[in-house]
Amino acid sequence: MRKTQRFSFRKIFPPYPKPSLTRPRPFKTYSFVPFSPLSLLDPTILTIGGIVLGISIIERILERWGVIDLVDQFAKVMRFVLPVTFYSALIYFFATFMF
């Protein structure tokens, strides 16, 4: 049979921890910009903006064609849709934004 070697606990684990290899930073840095402008390129917000922009372009085209009745209907609908869309997109942006 082989003889079992024994090691004391203090030989395996020294009593004091070794200093860390990474140096601490000399000063803390803070960002004055709370968010990146690239975060505004959210696909959902861009889609909503594209739909609203498309409706306004269609409204201008219909105005040039002389279909004023249809343009008035679009204007009445957009008077309600634009503010609701803007505020819902704003709430969505801040709800999904990671600080």
Side-chain angles (χ1 to χ4, degrees):
M1 287 185 87
R2 290 186 177 177
K3 220 176 192 183
T4 308
Q5 288 185 344
R6 295 185 182 181
F7 295 103
S8 68
F9 185 78
R10 291 177 191 215
K11 281 186 179 179
I12 298 173
F13 298 106
Y16 299 107
K18 294 180 180 178
S20 66
L21 298 176
T22 59
R23 295 182 191 164
R25 292 186 180 197
F27 57 89
K28 293 182 179 180
T29 58
Y30 296 99
S31 174
F32 293 107
V33 180
F35 62 92
S36 170
L38 294 177
S39 65
L40 296 174
L41 297 177
D42 185 34
T44 306
I45 293 180
L46 288 177
T47 304
I48 292 171
I51 290 170
V52 170
L53 185 64
I55 290 173
S56 65
I57 289 173
I58 290 171
E59 185 179 350
R60 293 295 174 194
I61 290 171
L62 290 173
E63 186 180 359
R64 285 188 184 177
W65 286 354
V67 190
I68 302 301
D69 295 336
L70 198 53
V71 172
D72 287 337
Q73 293 298 322
F74 265 111
K76 287 178 185 176
V77 171
M78 293 305 283
R79 212 174 280 146
F80 173 74
V81 170
L82 283 177
V84 170
T85 305
F86 171 75
Y87 287 118
S88 62
L90 193 66
I91 290 170
Y92 171 79
F93 173 72
F94 284 115
T96 59
F97 180 67
M98 297 302 229
F99 286 101

